Amino acid sequence: MDRIRDESGAGTAFDPKLIEPYIIKDPQALAVNAARALENLGKAASAWLEPRQGGDLPDPLSEPVAEMVKTMGKVAEFWMSDPKRTLEAQTHLLNAIFGVWSRSMTRFAEPDQTIEDPLPKDKRFSDEDWQRNPFFDFLRQTYLVLSQWADKMVNEAGGLDEHTRHKANFYMRQITAALSPANFVATNPQLYRETVASSGANLVKGMQMFAEDITAGGGDLRIRQTDTSKFAVGENMAITPGKVIAQSDICEVIQYDATTETVLKRPLLICPPWINKFYILDLNPQKSFIKWCVDQGQTVFVISWVNPDERHAKKDWEAYIREGVDFALDTIEKATGEKQVNAIGYCVGGTLLAAALALHAQEKRERIASATLFTTQVDFTYAGDLKVFVDEEQLHSLEERMQETGYLDGSKMAAAFNMLRASELIWPYFVNNYLKGQDPTPFDLLYWNSDSTRMAAANHSFYLRNCYLNNTLSQGKMELAGKRLSLKDVTIPIYNLATREDHIAPAKSVFVGSSLFGGPVQFVLSGSGHIAGVVNPPDKTKYQYWTNGPAVGNYDDWVETAKETPGSWWPHWQTWIESLDATRVPARKPGGDALNAIADAPGRNVLARV
């Protein structure tokens, strides 16, 4: 190793100073810290084993690992069942590896020649030594070509049904993300240098944090993504003034204090997802969609779902509509005297709201005059990677586990969501926390993301079976309250917001669902993803949104001819709301004259942690 190359790919003379950070200066200190790190790793192992030895916690890995092995076995069977195909796979891999070797040798032999790097850019390999150091450069290239080869093996495997191929692609991404050389001390130049510089002190602290996170997870690893000590709900998060004015078995209804002398006559009801807590829309005064709506003259009501336990096991979608959405509508009428509201549903809260609208249409109830859906799927044909976790066999197993407790623990859904973007939401924090030994930085969004909720067994089972598995709402086959629902019966105006980079409710899926309603639908596409594309205050001047009339035809064609507008979609939505009814009345106080305040916002439900 007598030469290196610069960022352009051209070789330069070897500089001994570049090797100095990799030379161990104090072997004794490193050995002592390695022993201390192993001691902390032992504590982590004990924290993991203890609840399993006592029978308090089943092995969470056996079922998903078995499902992964079974799925990937079908891919391997295709390539290994025919000698010609086996040879084809091996030849493709060897050619790719030979290309890496050939480029490496050329750089050594002709250091002044610029060598084109055909491999994709990857932010995991942003440290300059991934390219200028021949050892790490070879690791980077080999990993990338192996990943490409593995993807090719899955995508070109014959005899797989659509669902099996989808699962195989997902599992392969998890495997390749986990095996990245960026995730190991000896194969990551930055980690290697930091370990040498601190004589392994980073690993001592990292393994201590590893043990703490397993203990905090009750035997499961709960990777900390932010400094949770810097946030407190009701103190510096979810602090928009308001009152809880009603509560049922499954929710609280919050009304927020007015900040304008007059308000829109038609109140606004927000139905958030029960999979997460509502305060994503009220993180802090600068990011709060709720506060912004209040400041525009809206009388805002929010459903705050209970964090369910065994008492709520049989609460299904009908209960969440009757004791949640309908209960909130009755509360609003008591507090304001208004029979009609504008409603917002976010994510699965929007799917529930859409089902409620279809049920109301059959019951001739016209309480909701318009609906806004944030990143909401009503057709799950293109529902993305979450469909990997839903088939009859996996659902049956999940329902058996939920029967034991009456709910699904929130950490299980949080882990599934993180796996959708493992290279961004799992491994960077694994490296930062446990290998670098650094505390994560404070980030309100990630604090909210870690503040997970349980899911009532009947509710979650109905959702997964009727939406992800059987897609009944889009087909007019969903049954609630003894009625078969059709979205064509929903004729009120709808503002349907999708986000372009959404990995939970893909924009194409939201687009397709727009055509199922029986009334006018304003489809709007926002920049960024599932959260940032929604929580995008106008004064931040971030991202953009696209409009192009109704969601008809092909999604890609719609996007190609859409009008792009810089900044937040919030003012566009407010204009739409006022175009439906801009009548104003004097500002209202929470509860009006009919209801007394039960508690200050954000209420008690949102404070319950799992």
Side-chain angles (χ1 to χ4, degrees):
M1 185 165 53
D2 59 352
R3 293 188 181 271
I4 60 171
R5 64 188 182 89
D6 61 25
E7 294 181 358
S8 67
T12 60
F14 172 70
D15 183 356
K17 293 182 179 179
L18 295 176
I19 303 301
E20 288 182 6
Y22 297 95
I23 299 174
I24 297 173
K25 308 295 192 306
D26 192 341
Q28 183 175 357
L30 180 61
V32 170
N33 281 331
R36 293 173 60 196
L38 286 173
E39 180 183 1
N40 287 333
L41 182 60
K43 294 178 182 178
S46 298
W48 188 86
L49 286 171
E50 184 176 356
R52 289 165 177 80
Q53 291 176 333
D56 299 327
L57 188 67
D59 184 359
L61 296 177
S62 58
E63 288 185 13
V65 168
E67 185 68 24
M68 180 181 69
V69 170
K70 182 175 66 175
T71 302
M72 301 311 296
K74 294 178 181 179
V75 176
E77 181 182 354
F78 172 80
W79 291 105
M80 298 181 69
S81 60
D82 183 334
K84 290 183 179 179
R85 287 200 292 262
T86 303
L87 179 60
E88 178 188 346
Q90 292 173 337
T91 301
H92 185 273
L93 176 59
L94 289 174
N95 285 339
I97 296 297
F98 180 78
V100 174
W101 178 84
S102 177
R103 287 191 294 274
S104 298
M105 291 300 100
T106 301
R107 286 167 183 150
F108 278 119
E110 303 177 45
D112 296 326
Q113 179 180 345
T114 299
I115 306 299
E116 184 71 24
D117 188 346
L119 299 173
K121 300 296 182 183
D122 191 316
K123 62 183 179 182
R124 290 174 293 180
F125 307 120
S126 58
D127 188 279
E128 59 183 5
D129 272 8
W130 281 113
Q131 292 195 29
R132 70 177 182 176
N133 184 298
F135 172 73
F136 295 112
D137 182 43
F138 183 81
L139 288 177
R140 175 187 66 87
Q141 292 188 71
T142 302
Y143 168 76
L144 290 174
V145 299
L146 284 171
S147 298
Q148 291 175 335
W149 175 80
D151 289 342
K152 179 181 175 67
M153 293 301 99
V154 172
N155 291 325
E156 296 185 5
L160 303 182
D161 61 81
E162 182 181 352
H163 183 59
T164 300
R165 191 182 304 280
H166 190 176
K167 289 198 295 183
N169 269 305
F170 177 80
Y171 289 136
M172 186 57 75
R173 288 199 301 273
Q174 302 306 311
I175 293 169
T176 54
L179 295 179
S180 167
N183 299 337
F184 304 93
V185 172
T187 56
N188 182 324
Q190 185 181 16
L191 289 177
Y192 197 115
R193 294 194 305 267
E194 291 183 9
T195 301
V196 169
S198 68
S199 296
N202 56 315
L203 298 180
V204 177
K205 182 178 180 183
M207 291 303 100
Q208 178 185 347
M209 294 170 67
F210 189 54
E212 291 172 352
D213 287 356
I214 292 179
T215 301
D220 287 338
L221 176 60
R222 185 177 296 176
I223 299 178
R224 67 185 87 177
Q225 296 175 321
T226 185
D227 183 354
T228 59
S229 67
K230 298 295 190 292
F231 303 104
V233 177
E235 295 180 16
N236 60 2
M237 308 183 80
I239 59 173
T240 299
K243 302 291 183 183
V244 176
I245 60 171
Q247 60 184 2
S248 68
D249 283 346
I250 61 172
C251 77
E252 296 172 326
V253 179
I254 302 170
Q255 181 181 354
Y256 289 91
D257 296 344
T259 60
T260 55
E261 292 184 1
T262 62
V263 294
L264 292 176
K265 183 175 185 292
R266 189 180 291 170
L268 177 67
L269 170 63
I270 299 177
C271 178
W274 57 84
I275 291 174
N276 298 107
K277 296 181 179 179
F278 82 88
Y279 69 89
I280 185 59
L281 297 175
D282 191 27
L283 284 176
N284 59 53
Q286 290 72 43
K287 295 181 180 178
S288 174
F289 177 76
I290 289 172
K291 182 180 184 302
W292 186 86
C293 288
V294 169
D295 290 343
Q296 307 312 303
Q298 304 242 27
T299 305
V300 179
F301 295 80
V302 172
I303 296 172
S304 176
W305 300 109
V306 72
N307 206 332
D309 54 34
E310 63 276 0
R311 296 169 298 174
H312 305 92
K314 296 183 178 180
K315 296 292 186 181
D316 57 11
W317 266 37
E318 183 178 350
Y320 270 66
I321 290 175
R322 299 306 192 198
E323 300 173 45
V325 176
D326 291 352
F327 175 72
L329 292 172
D330 291 339
T331 299
I332 291 172
E333 184 175 357
K334 292 175 183 177
T336 67
E338 295 295 329
K339 294 183 178 294
Q340 287 200 320
V341 307
N342 298 313
I344 292 176
Y346 194 169
C347 190
V348 65
T351 312
L352 179 76
L353 178 62
L357 290 171
L359 180 60
H360 288 178
Q362 290 209 23
E363 295 174 339
K364 309 301 181 186
R365 293 162 51 118
E366 300 178 345
R367 304 288 296 277
I368 298 176
S370 78
T372 298
L373 305 177
F374 295 164
T375 62
T376 292
Q377 298 178 98
V378 294
D379 183 306
F380 287 73
T381 305
Y382 304 103
D385 285 340
L386 281 175
K387 293 182 74 172
V388 166
F389 302 104
V390 184
D391 53 43
E392 187 59 49
E393 186 176 351
Q394 292 184 85
L395 266 181
H396 179 71
S397 176
L398 177 65
E399 287 169 341
E400 284 189 334
R401 291 203 303 273
M402 289 194 297
Q403 272 191 335
E404 297 175 2
T405 58
Y407 58 84
L408 178 68
D409 189 86
S411 63
K412 302 298 186 292
M413 280 299 294
F417 284 130
N418 284 340
M419 286 175 69
L420 299 183
R421 296 168 60 194
S423 292
E424 298 175 32
L425 295 177
I426 295 179
W427 295 110
Y429 295 99
F430 181 90
V431 170
N432 182 79
N433 298 358
Y434 310 137
L435 302 182
K436 290 185 179 179
Q438 296 179 0
D439 293 315
T441 57
F443 188 16
D444 52 9
L445 177 56
L446 289 176
Y447 176 89
W448 167 85
N449 188 57
S450 69
D451 192 5
S452 57
T453 60
R454 307 180 194 95
M455 273 118 327
N459 181 10
H460 198 53
S461 178
F462 185 93
Y463 170 52
L464 293 179
R465 286 194 173 277
N466 282 272
C467 295
Y468 281 94
L469 185 63
N470 297 319
N471 202 14
T472 59
L473 184 58
S474 69
Q475 302 170 25
K477 296 179 181 179
M478 180 179 282
E479 294 186 0
L480 281 172
K483 294 180 172 58
R484 180 166 286 195
L485 307 185
S486 172
L487 293 176
K488 286 298 180 187
D489 294 337
V490 180
T491 58
I492 62 172
I494 290 177
Y495 188 102
N496 204 13
L497 179 80
T499 57
R500 194 161 191 172
E501 300 169 20
D502 201 327
H503 61 288
I504 295 174
K508 180 179 180 180
S509 184
V510 177
F511 179 89
V512 170
S514 297
S515 64
L516 300 178
F517 296 98
V521 178
Q522 172 80 59
F523 180 77
V524 177
L525 180 65
S526 171
S528 197
H530 193 73
I531 301 300
V534 174
V535 184
N536 182 24
D539 60 359
K540 299 296 183 183
T541 62
K542 293 178 65 176
Y543 311 125
Q544 66 283 100
Y545 65 93
W546 291 266
T547 53
N548 195 11
V552 295
N554 180 276
Y555 167 72
D556 292 328
D557 293 340
W558 187 96
V559 172
E560 186 176 350
T561 58
K563 175 187 176 184
E564 179 179 341
T565 303
S568 173
W569 56 270
W570 292 10
H572 180 267
W573 170 80
Q574 177 71 16
T575 300
W576 180 81
I577 285 287
E578 294 188 14
S579 72
L580 302 176
D581 187 349
T583 306
R584 289 194 169 240
V585 298
R588 305 167 172 122
K589 66 176 184 178
D593 296 326
L595 299 173
N596 295 321
I598 298 173
D600 290 331
R604 289 187 285 266
N605 285 349
V606 78
L607 300 179
R609 294 184 64 89
V610 299

